[in-house]
Amino acid sequence: MSGGNRLSKLLVRLRRESPIRLAQEAVWRTTKRWRQLNLQKQLERPECPVVFRPAGYYCPNLLHLSQRTQNAIMAYADAVCDGQFPWFAYGPVKLGLPPRWDFDFVSGKSWPKTRSENLQVVRHDGSDVKVPWELSRMQFLPVLGKAWRLSGDQRYRAAGKDLLSDWIEKNPSGAGVNWTIAMEAALRAMSICFFLELALPWGADDAPWLRQVTSNLWKHLLFIEAHNEFSHLSRSNHYLSNVVGLLCLSSYLDGPQMKARRRLYANLVGREMFHQVYEDGGDFEASFGYHLLVLQMFTSAFLLMKAQGTGPTEEFSERLKRMYKYVAALADPQGRLAHVGDCDDGRVELLTDDLETMMALENRYSLRVADQLGIGEALFDMPGGSPADDAVCYANVDRVTSVGNDTVAENVRVFRNSGVAVVKSSDAEAVFLAIPNGMAGKGSHTHNDKLSVLLNLGNHHLFVDSGCAGYTRNASLRNRFRATAAHNTIQIDDEEQNRFSKSPGGLFSISDDAQLSPITMENLDGEVVLSASHDGYHRLGIIHKRIMRWNGQRQLTLDDELTGYGKHTFAARFHLPSHCQIAIRQDCGELVSCSIHGPSRVTMTFRAASELSLSSDTAQTSSAFGSISESGVIVVSGTFIPPFTLYSAISWEDLPT
C-alpha cells in the first residue's frame, strides 16, 4: 500500500474518532515506535535470559485417539517428511525438504531478504504473501510431534527438528517477509512451543539445539511485544493473536519477569474476549471463518491459563462456552459452517477435520467444525449427541420449538448481537443474515451479505454463500466475492450495499453504509417469521426489508419490501452449489418460476405487481481459500417504483435418504 493510500485511509478513520481517543492513539504509536527502535539492541545481546519448560498444555495419550484421527495424523506427517506440504485449497504441494520459506509457489514469486520493515508485502503482482506466511506458521510441527508420539518413529521428530533449524537459519530476526507482522510471529511461536512439548523428552545431545530454539523463541517474544498490533482505534484477531502468543511464550519460557508476563497477558486476553466477542457468543468481525480462528485462539488461551493457574475467570469461561454454542447452532448436519464473510482458513492448530480436508484430492471444504465442537463438549460438558442439536438458550438467544399446536421447527435461534438467525427442522435448515459490518463498522472482513439467506436440505446445501477465493493475489477477484451480487440478497441499481474503496490498498476496508435493524421473530398463523432491514441503499432513496417465513411444510417464503422514492432496477440472486441444475419454467411476467434439480427437486416461484424477468447465470463459489468452483445462480430482476414487494416461494419434495 502506498504512503498516500495509507494517509487517506487514516484521515477517513480519524474523522470518526474522538479527540481523547486520537490523543491516546498518538501516545501509543510513539511508544510503539520507541520499542521498535530499541528492539535491535535487545536482539544483539548474546545472552538468552530464559529456558524452555513444558507448560502442561499437552498431556496427550494419543493411543486413545480414534483410528480415523491416527490415520489423518500419520498421512499428513508422511506427506511433510516427503517434502509435500498440504494446503486447504491445493492438497499436498511438493515444495521439497527444506522448502523455500519466502516463496509463493502459486505465482512463482518470492520476497527479498531485506529488512522486514522496508518490505512491501502486498505488491499487486499476482503474488500472495499468505503463502509464505502460512508455511512459516509451521503448524505442521505439532502434527509431526503427534506422529512421533503415535509411532515412536524418530524420523518424524527429526524432520521437525531439521525444518525448525532451517527456518531459524534462513529467517534471521527482522529480515525477510516472515518477520513483517506480529501475528505471524505469534502463531509460529505457538506451533514451535507445542512441538517442543510434544517431542519431549529432550536429552543431553539435544541441549545445544534446544538452546538455539529457546533463544529464537525469546526473540519472537521481544518482536511481538515491540510490534504488537494493539490500537485504540481498532483491534482485531491480529492483536488477539499477539496477546495469546505472548501468553503462550511466557508460559513455556522460564526466567526473569515471565511470571508477571503470564499474569499480564492472561488479563489482556480476557479483556479481548469482551471486546471482540458479542454477548451472544459471535465474533465481531462479521465472518464465520474468523469466528472459528478466534475461537481457537481463546480456547488455546483457556487451556494455557488453566495449566498455569492464571485463570480463566468464570465470565471468560462462560463467554467462550457461548462461542461454542454459536458454532453448534450454525453448523449443518455434516458439521460444516457456511463460508460467510472472509475466510483465509487460518488456524491455531490443525484438527482432524483440517488434516483430512488438506489431504483430500477433491471436495475440499475448509470450515468443517465437528472436531472443534468435540473440544467444546469436552471442556464444558455439553450434552452428548450431535453438537448442532444442542438447545441451550442464553439471554440474547431466542429459541422456539413450537408455534400454535404444531411443531414447525425443532430449533429457531436468533443471535441478536451477531445478526444471525437459524431455523432447523427435521429435514432442512435456513440461516438468515443481518450481520452488522464488522469491528464496529470498520468491516475489514465484512461482505455485502445483508439479508442474505442460506438453505440446506438434508445433508446438502441449496442456497450457498460464495465464500472467499483470495485476498491480495487478485484485487478484482476479491471484490467480486465480497460483492452484493455474490450473495443471496437484493441489489439495487447495480450498486453495493456497502461501497468498496477504490484505492489498490482498500482490500480490507469497506464503507459503513448499511445499518441493520435487529432481527425480529414472530409467531404468526403457524409460521415462524423472521425479519430485518438495512439502509445501505439510502443514498439511492431505498430501504430494503426482508421477511422470511418458515411454515414447517417443506416451504420457505421471502417477502422483499423496497420502500423509498424514485425509479430503480433490482436483481435478487440465489447462488447454488455446482451439483444443482436450473430449469426455467416461466421467464417473464408478474409470475415467474423455475425448478432446481439436485439431490432433491426444488421449485421456486416469484411474483410482484410489475413485470419480472427470470434467468439463470454462471457464478463462482469458494469452499477453501484459493479454490474456485463454477456454479449456477438464479436471477430475478425488474424495474420498480416504491413501494414494491417481491414475493419468493421455495418448496421442495421429500429428501433422499
Side-chain angles (χ1 to χ4, degrees):
M1 186 187 304
S2 70
N5 288 332
R6 286 197 190 98
L7 180 59
S8 62
K9 282 185 65 180
L10 180 60
L11 290 175
V12 170
R13 179 180 296 176
L14 294 183
R15 285 196 289 268
R16 303 176 182 172
E17 305 294 346
S18 70
I20 294 176
R21 184 163 293 181
L22 293 177
Q24 291 173 325
E25 184 70 11
V27 171
W28 159 246
R29 294 192 181 198
T30 301
T31 303
K32 181 177 178 179
R33 185 56 183 160
W34 180 86
R35 288 179 179 175
Q36 292 170 358
L37 294 173
N38 193 50
L39 174 63
Q40 193 58 39
K41 295 179 182 178
Q42 295 177 284
L43 294 176
E44 289 172 354
R45 293 173 183 169
E47 74 282 358
C48 175
V50 297
V51 295
F52 179 82
R53 62 160 200 165
Y57 181 87
Y58 272 116
C59 303
N61 188 339
L62 296 178
L63 295 178
H64 287 175
L65 294 177
S66 68
Q67 193 62 51
R68 169 206 169 214
T69 295
Q70 292 187 45
N71 292 344
I73 291 171
M74 300 309 297
Y76 185 101
D78 285 340
V80 172
C81 288
D82 190 40
Q84 298 184 73
F85 292 82
W87 302 76
F88 276 108
Y90 302 101
V93 180
K94 189 74 173 179
L95 299 180
L97 281 178
R100 291 174 58 185
W101 303 105
D102 59 1
F103 181 63
D104 172 14
F105 64 84
V106 179
S107 67
K109 298 178 180 179
S110 60
W111 280 259
K113 285 290 191 297
T114 55
R115 285 184 60 84
S116 300
E117 63 184 22
N118 297 329
L119 277 177
Q120 184 178 5
V121 296
V122 179
R123 303 181 299 196
H124 302 287
D125 62 354
S127 63
D128 189 347
V129 71
K130 180 169 173 59
V131 176
W133 279 356
E134 188 74 26
L135 183 65
S136 289
R137 289 180 180 182
M138 291 195 284
Q139 290 171 345
F140 51 80
L141 286 179
V143 184
L144 291 170
K146 291 175 185 177
W148 176 75
R149 284 281 187 114
L150 281 169
S151 67
D153 190 333
Q154 285 288 340
R155 73 187 182 109
Y156 300 115
R157 195 171 184 263
K161 287 182 61 179
D162 291 344
L163 286 165
L164 183 49
S165 294
D166 187 75
W167 190 94
I168 291 172
E169 178 187 351
K170 302 286 178 57
N171 293 272
S173 299
V177 72
N178 293 312
W179 288 100
T180 47
I181 65 170
M183 180 178 191
E184 298 307 315
L187 292 174
R188 176 169 60 246
M190 294 180 73
S191 297
I192 296 171
C193 290
F194 297 158
F195 170 71
L196 293 181
E197 186 164 30
L198 281 164
L200 288 171
W202 299 103
D205 292 343
D206 298 309
W209 177 84
L210 186 58
R211 283 195 295 270
Q212 178 195 33
V213 174
T214 302
S215 176
N216 191 259
L217 287 174
W218 172 243
K219 292 176 181 178
H220 274 77
L221 185 147
L222 295 176
F223 176 86
I224 300 165
E225 288 185 331
H227 292 83
N228 93 70
E229 295 163 274
F230 173 84
S231 171
H232 289 282
L233 306 180
S234 176
R235 303 200 299 276
S236 70
N237 68 87
H238 278 240
Y239 174 65
L240 176 61
S241 74
N242 301 167
V243 290
V244 172
L246 289 168
L247 173 62
C248 181
L249 282 163
S250 59
S251 298
Y252 277 98
L253 299 178
D254 196 20
Q257 300 182 342
M258 285 299 111
K259 187 175 181 179
R261 278 185 165 101
R262 286 194 287 274
R263 288 196 300 267
L264 169 64
Y265 295 125
N267 288 335
L268 292 178
V269 170
R271 182 180 69 176
E272 288 310 296
M273 172 64 86
F274 298 96
H275 176 73
Q276 298 197 26
V277 180
Y278 294 126
E279 187 177 356
D280 62 19
D283 177 63
F284 81 151
E285 292 195 70
S287 156
F288 290 0
Y290 277 90
H291 179 98
L292 180 60
L293 174 61
V294 167
L295 174 63
Q296 286 200 345
M297 291 181 190
F298 281 126
T299 300
S300 294
F302 177 90
L303 295 171
L304 286 165
M305 286 188 278
K306 286 182 71 71
Q308 297 302 302
T310 55
T313 66
E314 184 177 340
E315 294 79 9
F316 180 95
S317 300
E318 176 61 24
R319 188 64 59 93
L320 179 60
K321 185 176 180 180
R322 295 186 185 192
M323 293 188 74
Y324 275 100
K325 298 295 185 183
Y326 183 77
V327 174
L330 295 173
D332 71 11
Q334 292 188 318
R336 300 171 296 183
L337 292 180
H339 281 73
V340 171
D342 275 355
C343 180
D344 70 355
D345 301 340
R347 298 290 188 272
V348 176
E349 296 185 69
L350 300 176
L351 304 182
T352 305
D353 283 327
D354 304 321
L355 301 179
E356 290 178 337
T357 296
M358 297 168 88
M359 293 296 293
L361 297 178
E362 57 185 16
N363 298 324
R364 294 189 181 94
Y365 196 94
S366 63
L367 288 185
R368 298 181 183 272
V369 295
D371 292 315
Q372 188 70 52
L373 288 171
I375 293 174
E377 290 180 358
L379 290 178
F380 297 111
D381 193 27
M382 297 180 186
S386 171
D389 291 336
D390 189 82
V392 172
C393 175
Y394 294 114
N396 280 328
V397 182
D398 293 332
R399 175 174 175 265
V400 173
T401 56
S402 64
V403 178
N405 296 321
D406 299 318
T407 299
V408 300
E410 293 176 353
N411 290 297
V412 179
R413 297 175 194 160
V414 179
F415 296 88
R416 298 193 184 282
N417 307 123
S418 300
V420 179
V422 187
V423 184
K424 299 188 179 185
S425 69
S426 59
D427 65 358
E429 61 184 28
V431 180
F432 184 79
L433 303 178
I435 303 175
N437 290 339
M439 297 169 57
K442 296 179 173 66
S444 58
H445 294 299
T446 296
H447 285 195
N448 279 335
D449 52 17
K450 312 313 175 195
L451 309 187
S452 180
V453 170
L454 311 174
L455 180 62
N456 302 327
L457 302 181
N459 291 325
H460 301 279
H461 296 162
L462 182 66
F463 298 157
V464 299
D465 193 288
S466 294
C468 178
Y471 284 165
T472 64
R473 191 180 304 284
N474 185 324
S476 62
L477 180 68
R478 166 156 173 72
N479 282 341
R480 190 159 72 244
F481 270 80
R482 61 178 183 152
T484 308
H487 299 91
N488 306 319
T489 188
I490 298 274
Q491 185 174 23
I492 304 298
D493 295 342
D494 293 325
E495 292 284 336
E496 295 292 342
Q497 294 173 335
N498 297 288
R499 289 165 289 182
F500 298 143
S501 170
K502 295 182 180 179
S503 71
L507 295 181
F508 295 94
S509 63
I510 197 169
S511 298
D512 193 22
D513 294 320
Q515 304 301 306
L516 289 116
S517 69
I519 297 175
T520 63
M521 181 175 63
E522 298 179 276
N523 308 334
L524 297 175
D525 299 325
E527 291 183 321
V528 173
V529 181
L530 300 168
S531 65
S533 63
H534 79 83
D535 65 355
Y537 300 122
H538 178 73
R539 65 187 186 278
L540 305 177
I542 295 297
I543 303 295
H544 178 200
K545 179 179 180 179
R546 172 165 277 184
I547 303 168
M548 187 182 86
R549 305 176 189 274
W550 181 281
N551 66 7
Q553 302 299 318
R554 295 194 174 94
Q555 185 178 69
L556 179 146
T557 64
L558 302 173
D559 301 347
D560 286 298
E561 299 177 354
L562 304 174
T563 57
Y565 57 87
K567 187 176 182 179
H568 305 273
T569 62
F570 79 91
R573 294 179 177 86
F574 298 89
H575 291 262
L576 310 175
S578 57
H579 60 257
C580 290
Q581 302 296 319
I582 304 166
I584 303 295
R585 293 179 172 180
Q586 178 68 36
D587 64 357
C588 62
E590 294 185 358
L591 178 68
V592 295
S593 64
C594 65
S595 58
I596 304 168
H597 301 272
S600 59
R601 185 178 178 86
V602 179
T603 300
M604 295 187 68
T605 59
F606 306 90
R607 63 183 176 86
S610 61
E611 185 81 3
L612 300 175
S613 175
L614 179 63
S615 63
S616 63
D617 201 352
T618 57
Q620 295 177 319
T621 59
S622 176
S623 59
F625 188 85
S627 72
I628 297 176
S629 299
E630 297 296 323
S631 59
V633 57
I634 296 168
V635 184
V636 57
S637 59
T639 301
F640 72 97
I641 297 175
F644 172 84
T645 302
L646 174 69
Y647 300 95
S648 308
I650 305 98
S651 58
W652 54 93
E653 298 178 0
D654 290 347
L655 302 180
T657 57

